[in-house]
Amino acid sequence: MPKTILVLNGPNLNMLGKREPGIYGVKTLADIEADCRAEAERLGFDIDFRQSNMEGDLVTWIQEAPDMAAGLIINPAGYGHTSIAIHDALRLLSIPIAEVHLSNIHAREEFRHKTMVAPVATGVICGFGPIGYILAIQALAARL
Ligand code: DQA
């Protein structure tokens, strides 16, 4: 049975395509999901791709990850800058974790420079747009 990579997306990422396209591009989250599925399949993995605007959903899904996934990709969106709860949930995991941001958070407003996820992630990819998800799949696949 192929191993699963869980891909979690935080708040407002359901609006991709309409949301500040100059910053986040024109692809929808469904487009990104399709690209992730194709790349995962090419590398022999399954993708479980989810999005929520609720912090608690993300926390619950992170808690469930060890039972169903070999690796985790998370774009925590705005919660990445604020959520101790997501940070704490990620600390429970021993599977590899890739943090992804579409935009280069370090080249934007100062409040985006810090992420609560980075200290508990295996690695961080930001600034490459949707390709960041593909790079993260490749990085996790190489590690797994
Ligand atoms: C984001 C960057 C965050 O600062 C922002 O709040 C988002 C999207 C990104 O993918 O670039 O919602 O995570």
Side-chain angles (χ1 to χ4, degrees), residues 38-55:
E39 183 63 6
E41 194 179 323
R42 191 181 75 79
L43 295 169
F45 286 82
D46 269 344
I47 285 285
D48 187 324
F49 195 96
R50 305 182 191 184
Q51 188 275 333
S52 179
N53 293 324
M54 317 268 238
E55 188 177 16

Side-chain angles (χ1 to χ4, degrees), residues 6-143:
L6 178 62
V7 185
L8 297 183
N9 294 280
N12 300 307
L13 293 172
N14 55 315
M15 301 307 287
L16 287 178
K18 293 185 202 147
R19 180 188 179 200
E20 298 184 273
I23 295 175
Y24 298 115
V26 294
K27 280 201 171 188
T28 65
L29 196 61
D31 295 334
I32 293 174
E33 177 176 356
D35 291 348
C36 284
R37 281 192 193 290
E39 183 63 6
E41 194 179 323
R42 191 181 75 79
L43 295 169
F45 286 82
D46 269 344
I47 285 285
D48 187 324
F49 195 96
R50 305 182 191 184
Q51 188 275 333
S52 179
N53 293 324
M54 317 268 238
E55 188 177 16
D57 287 344
L58 296 163
V59 169
T60 299
W61 292 338
I62 292 166
Q63 290 175 0
E64 290 168 0
D67 296 329
M68 47 73 70
L72 172 68
I73 295 171
I74 181 164
N75 182 345
Y79 287 142
H81 310 300
T82 61
S83 177
I84 295 170
I86 288 175
H87 171 98
D88 285 345
L90 290 168
R91 290 179 79 99
L92 292 165
L93 304 189
S94 49
I95 59 174
I97 302 166
E99 179 182 11
V100 171
H101 296 277
L102 296 158
S103 62
N104 180 354
I105 54 174
H106 302 290
R108 299 183 62 197
E109 304 95 321
E110 188 146 6
F111 63 82
R112 295 185 203 275
H113 294 183
K114 188 166 173 210
T115 127
M116 311 283 292
V117 170
V120 286
T122 311
V124 182
I125 298 166
C126 78
F128 292 103
I131 298 288
Y133 287 76
I134 303 300
L135 297 173
I137 290 169
Q138 292 171 355
L140 292 184
R143 225 180 152 92

